[in-house]
Structures are given as C-alpha cells and as structure tokens.
Amino acid sequence: MADLQDEPHSVGVGAEDVPVTAPLVAGGSLDRAAALLAVHPVADGCNTLVWTLRQSPYHDIDTPDLEVDTDIPRLRAGGVGAQFWTLLVPPGPPRAESCAQAVCETLEQIDAALALMRRYSDSLYLALTADDMADARNRGRIASFLGPVPGSTLTGSLGALRAFHALGVRLLAPAGAPWSDEGLTAFGHEVVKEANRLAILLDLTGCPPAAACQLAAASKAPVIISNTGAASLTPHPDNATDEVLLALRAAGGLAMVTFDTERTGDSLHAVADHVEHVRALAGPEGVGLGAAFGSEGGSPRPAGLTDPSGYPRLIAELLERGWSESELTLLTWGNAQRVLREAEFTARAAQHRGTTPG
C-alpha cells in the first residue's frame, strides 16, 4: 500500500485536466478516478522520452507539445507521480560492435536523462529510493527513476554496473545480454547478486520465458517487467506468458501493463482486459502500469490511451469493473513502491552480511 507518512499534495489531477473528448467511461467514475490519482498517483514503469529528446532536442516538455506524446502538463493531467525513464535504445538494447561502444551509448543516455531532470527541476525529481518516491509525491513533483540500462554492457566485469549505480541508475535489463539469454552463466549469477546488493531492479522485459523464470528465481529481490501485455490474450513475442506471470507471483515481482496497439489491443477496454489477466496470474500485488509512452506523434495507441493524460480513463474503467479503491492504489502506486522497498531491504541485508563486490 502507498506510503502515507506525510499528507501528499495533489499531482494536478482534476476534472478540468481531462481532455475534452467523447467520454469512454461514465463521468462519475472519472471523478472518482481523478480523486484517487490525486492521492495515489501512477508509478509508470516505462517512458522512452529520453531517447526521443536526444533525436529531437527542440521539444519543450514544460508546455503542451503535440509532436511528442509526453509532456509535463499531460503527465500531471494523467496523475503520473513517478516515472521510470528507460535508457535503452529503441527497439531494444544497443547492438554496438563493442562493449565500449555500448557503454558509451548508455552513458550518453544517462547524461541526457540527468540533463532532463536539471532542466525541468520544478516538476521532475531524481529519485534513488522508495523514500524519494514518496517525498517527490508529497512535494508535488514527479519522482524520476533512471533505467533500465542494457545488461549487454556488462561483459565479464561488474565495474560498469557499479558505475551506473553511482550515476543514479536503479534498473537493469538483462534481455539480449550473453550472460542471461540462454540461461544464467556463472557471470550472470554474479550480476544478479551484485544488482541485489546495489538495490538495482532487474527488468525482465524482452527476456525469453525460460530466462525470465530463471532470473526471477535467482534474484533475492523482486524483479519487474516494466512494460508488457498478457501473451495469452495477445500472442506478441514481447508479452509475458502465463508461466512468466506465475513465476513473478512466486518471486513477489511486478508486471506493468503497456498501452500498445500491437501488444494490448486498440481500445481502452482491451488494455483493461490485459490488466485484469495480469492481476489474475501475477496477483493483486504483482500488477502495475508501464505504458511505454515517450515517442513522437503517430505511434499507434489504444483509443482513449494515446498519451499519459488517459490514465484517469483506465482507472475509471476498472472502477466500473468492480475494482476497489484499495486494489487500484496497489495498481497505481503501492506495488511499485513495494518492490523498490523490498529491493532496498535485500540490499541492506546483503551489505550487513558483508557481501563483497564481484
């Protein structure tokens, strides 16, 4: 459940913030959704805006910008209170010719993300811990976590992982890494152990099912899938299978549902179906939201969920399906904060035991 040690400020969600479009859900449900998000905002698991702004740096996200699907006004209108900013190079981890090139590209992404935090410091708050996440919400700012970075940058040495952590990175994506894709190697086990020691979350997005299940079992801290759909509803290669969702449940992990026409259908109702299926398999504490916004205009999105301002519509739809407010606060905020806290607890326990870096 969300941390309510301090009385949170509104993150800017209100009926006046919802774009004027043909209503997809009843007005009363929208009002309830907006009120809920004002206290328990969305912790969104994936946004690719850092890469987009590197390609088109002229965008000013402090004002509405129709050329990109993410800006601060729409994040606030949608009730987004925490954001994981992916530092992967679309459509996946960098496929550089050498490890040095991959590390250099990742450092460029980190530098661009930190520059984004500095430029929009009145709205974006660089977060390193679960406490930072709550503090940002209470200050009316959007907690910003850096990552994932690609696991393919780690080839035989854990130094890069520790350097990324020192720069603020808190998520690592093993997909595409030679130490994980065909089963964890001895070095892969060391990566998992060190990520646990540093409280870096493993993001299993894009991992083959067998690898995802092995990583979930090997990690002592919860793992996440930052953006996914349910493969049993939409058989897309990047969607999580039922086997993976059950493995996440057993490991206390989190699957965050994306808003992507190819992966979750072309309507708000279809996305809600994916959310409910993930909850049924991964459990009420194992489902979250990771829309994967952050691209330039024209990307296909489900009707009603074309940008972050659509979040209240999805919450309203789930209210109409009978979700309780306590279940929704887990979905939007509580589950993401839980996995961060548990990763930090695991790290403290490892450090207390005197675990040494590999």
Side-chain angles (χ1 to χ4, degrees):
M1 190 62 67
D3 183 351
L4 292 176
Q5 294 174 353
D6 300 301
E7 182 66 23
H9 296 290
S10 167
V11 293
V13 183
E16 70 277 7
D17 295 315
V18 179
V20 179
T21 59
L24 299 174
V25 290
S29 296
L30 273 174
D31 290 341
R32 290 175 61 200
L36 183 145
L37 289 172
V39 181
H40 307 283
V42 171
D44 184 291
C46 180
N47 191 295
T48 64
L49 184 66
V50 172
W51 171 257
T52 298
L53 294 183
R54 282 188 65 196
Q55 310 312 300
S56 304
Y58 56 85
H59 293 299
D60 177 10
I61 66 167
D62 232 350
T63 58
D65 186 345
L66 297 181
E67 296 301 316
V68 293
D69 64 21
T70 299
D71 51 49
I72 289 169
R74 280 180 286 185
L75 288 168
R76 292 194 177 282
V80 175
Q83 181 67 69
F84 294 179
W85 301 99
T86 181
L87 303 179
L88 305 179
V89 177
R95 303 198 180 278
E97 294 180 0
S98 71
C99 178
Q101 287 174 303
V103 171
C104 183
E105 178 60 54
T106 301
L107 289 173
E108 292 285 346
Q109 288 279 85
I110 295 170
D111 183 64
L114 292 172
L116 188 71
M117 303 302 110
R118 290 191 298 269
R119 182 176 180 184
Y120 300 101
S121 59
D122 287 345
S123 297
L124 305 180
Y125 181 91
L126 178 63
L128 304 177
T129 66
D131 282 346
D132 288 344
M133 181 175 165
D135 187 49
R137 179 198 59 185
N138 294 344
R139 294 168 182 260
R141 294 158 75 187
I142 299 167
S144 297
F145 290 92
L146 301 189
V149 296
S152 57
T153 59
L154 311 178
T155 55
S157 171
L158 298 176
L161 183 61
R162 291 191 282 270
F164 293 152
H165 178 269
L167 290 171
V169 171
R170 291 299 181 266
L171 297 96
L172 176 74
W179 47 265
S180 68
D181 261 10
E182 296 183 4
L184 273 178
T185 65
F187 176 67
H189 282 283
E190 290 301 310
V191 172
V192 172
K193 179 193 278 187
E194 185 67 355
N196 287 172
R197 190 186 72 84
L198 295 171
I200 290 179
L201 291 173
L202 296 174
D203 176 2
L204 308 187
T205 302
C207 288
C213 291
Q214 188 179 15
L215 283 158
S219 177
K220 293 186 181 301
V223 296
I224 71 166
I225 304 178
S226 66
N227 62 106
T228 190
S232 63
L233 298 186
T234 304
H236 188 282
D238 290 334
N239 283 348
T241 64
D242 287 356
E243 176 192 15
V244 169
L245 293 174
L246 289 170
L248 281 183
R249 184 173 194 150
L254 177 62
M256 308 177 90
V257 177
T258 190
F259 303 169
D260 183 290
T261 299
E262 291 186 359
R263 297 169 67 185
T264 48
D266 60 2
S267 70
L268 179 153
H269 305 289
V271 172
D273 289 342
H274 279 263
V275 172
E276 294 203 308
H277 185 86
V278 170
R279 182 180 68 161
L281 274 292
E285 295 187 348
V287 60
L289 301 169
F293 290 126
S295 57
E296 292 193 288
S299 299
R301 296 288 181 184
L305 297 173
T306 56
D307 62 61
S309 69
Y311 268 119
R313 298 190 190 95
L314 177 63
I315 301 307
E317 168 69 16
L318 295 173
L319 282 167
E320 293 192 352
R321 293 185 180 207
W323 284 51
S324 69
E325 292 193 4
S326 62
E327 290 169 331
L328 288 168
T329 62
L330 288 175
L331 172 75
T332 60
W333 183 266
N335 289 338
Q337 190 168 63
R338 174 187 63 80
V339 296
L340 287 165
R341 288 205 184 283
E342 291 187 8
E344 292 163 19
F345 176 83
T346 299
R348 287 194 297 271
Q351 293 160 13
H352 179 72
R353 291 192 301 268
T355 303
T356 57

